Amino acid sequence: MRKISILGATGSIGQSTIDLIRRDSSAYDVVALTGGANIARLAEDAISLNADLAVTAYPDRLEELRAALAGTNVEVAAGQQALIEAAERPADWIMSAIVGAAGLAPGLAALRQGTTLALANKESLVCAGALLLDTARAHNARILPVDSEHSAIFQGLVGEDMSAVERIIITASGGALRDWPLEKLAGATLEQAMHHPNWDMGQRITIDSASMFNKAMEVIETREYFGVSPEQIEVLVHPESMVHALVGFCDGAIMAHLGAPDMRHAIGYALYWPDRRDLPVERLDLARIGQLNFATPDPARFPALGLAYRVMSRGGMMGAVFNGAKERALDHFIAGKIGFLEMASIVEHVLDHFEDQSGLIDDAMTLDNVLRIDHLARQRADMVMTKQTG
Ligand code: NDP
C-alpha cells in the first residue's frame, strides 16, 4: 500500500485529491490529513480514510477536533509545529495544498524526508523557490507540479532537452473580471471577483485569478521549476481554459497541453506519475467547442503581471516580499478595506521599499530569513494601506 499524506486536505485541492484516493482506497494507507478551520470536514475524512493523524492549524480548535474524533484510532494535534510533524511522518507521496506562505515550512519538512511532494502550494515556490529545490536535491526528494499550467509544461517536456526550449507560454482565463474596463475594475467587489468563469477553486486563488496575481505567481513558478529566463516566459489570455500551457521549441514547433478545466487532471498526473491512469474528468469535444481564443493581457488593467517580471529581474528574496505583500493586500480586499486595484498598488509600493535593501533581500535564503521577510513585507503592506486609505 502506498503511504500518503495530504496537507490542506479540507480545501479545494485537498478535496479533489481525496476524491481520487477514494476511487481506489484499498491502494492507499493515509498517514496524515491537515486542515484549518473546517474541523467537521477534517474529522469526517480522517475517519472515512482511516488516517493515522489529523491536524488542525489552529490550537484553539484542538478540543473540537478531539471531540469529533473521540472513540476512533485517529491521533489529533494542532498548531504550526504539529503541521510540520505531520509532514515529517514517513509517507511515499505528500500533497502540499495549504494556501499561502503557511505551506512553506510543512513543504520543506516533507522534502527533508526524501519523499515525493505534489506541490499545489505555489506561494512556497514564489517565496523560496531555490530553498525548496535545494532541499529536494539534498534529500533526494522529488517535487511534482500540481498547478495545471506547470503540470502541462512538465508533460510537454517529457523526453525533451531543455536546451531546445525557446519559450514557455502559460495561459490565463482572465478570471471573473477579464473584460472589465479599467474604470470599472476599481469598483469591483469581492463577490464579483469570486465569479470565476471556468474553475472552481478556493476563495483566495479565485480572487488572485481575477487580479492576475495568480498568473504573476505562476510566471515566477515557471522560472523556478524549469530554470528558463524571464524573457522566455509569456502569458496569453485564453478564456476557455482548455489549453493550459504551451512549450515552444527552437525548431518553431509548439507543444500544447489541452484538457477540461478540472484540477483532477494535474493532481492525478502527479499521483500516478510516471504512469497515466484513467481519470474521472470530462473529455474535450473540440468539434463541439469549435474555436479557442487567445489574446495578449492588458498591462494597464492587470498590473500584477508586470510586477512578477520586476521580482524576477531583482532576484534574491524579492519573491518573499512579493508574496507577503500580495497575501496581506488580498486580506485587506477580502475584509473590504481596500479596492480591487489597490491590491497591485500596495504590492508595488512594498516592492519599491525593499528593492534596494540588499542586506535583507540578498541574504542567504533560509527558512528563517524568508519568514522574516514575509513578516516585514506584510507589515509594510499594512503601512502602505493605512497611508493610502488615509
Ligand atoms: P483552499 O482555501 O480551498 O484550501 C486551503 C487549505 O489550507 C485548507 O485545507 C485550509 O483549511 C488550509 N489552511 C488555511 N489556512 C491555513 C494555515 N494558516 N495553516 C495551515 N493550513 C491552512 O485553497 P485551494 O485548495 O484552492 O488552494 C490550495 C493551494 O493550491 C494554494 O496554494 C493555491 O494557490 C494552490 N492551487 C489551487 C488550485 C485550485 O484549483 N484550487 C489550482 C492550482 C493551485 P480550512 O479550509 O480547514 O480552513
Side-chain angles (χ1 to χ4, degrees), residues 8-13 35-38 57-58 83 97-100 102 120-123 147 201-202 205 263:
T10 50
S12 165
I13 293 286
N38 195 343
Y58 307 120
L83 290 175
I98 289 172
V99 66
N121 175 248
K122 64 186 84 187
E123 296 88 349
D147 223 348
M201 308 183 286
I205 186 172
M263 282 310 293

Side-chain angles (χ1 to χ4, degrees), residues 7-14 34-39 42 57-58 80 83 96-100 102-103 120-123 146-149 199-205 208 214 217-218 263:
L7 313 175
T10 50
S12 165
I13 293 286
T34 81
N38 195 343
I39 302 296
L42 179 61
Y58 307 120
Q80 294 310 307
L83 290 175
S96 166
I98 289 172
V99 66
N121 175 248
K122 64 186 84 187
E123 296 88 349
V146 171
D147 223 348
S148 59
E149 293 74 4
W199 294 94
D200 181 13
M201 308 183 286
Q203 183 191 48
R204 298 181 74 86
I205 186 172
D208 283 347
N214 181 47
M217 293 203 289
E218 289 175 6
M263 282 310 293

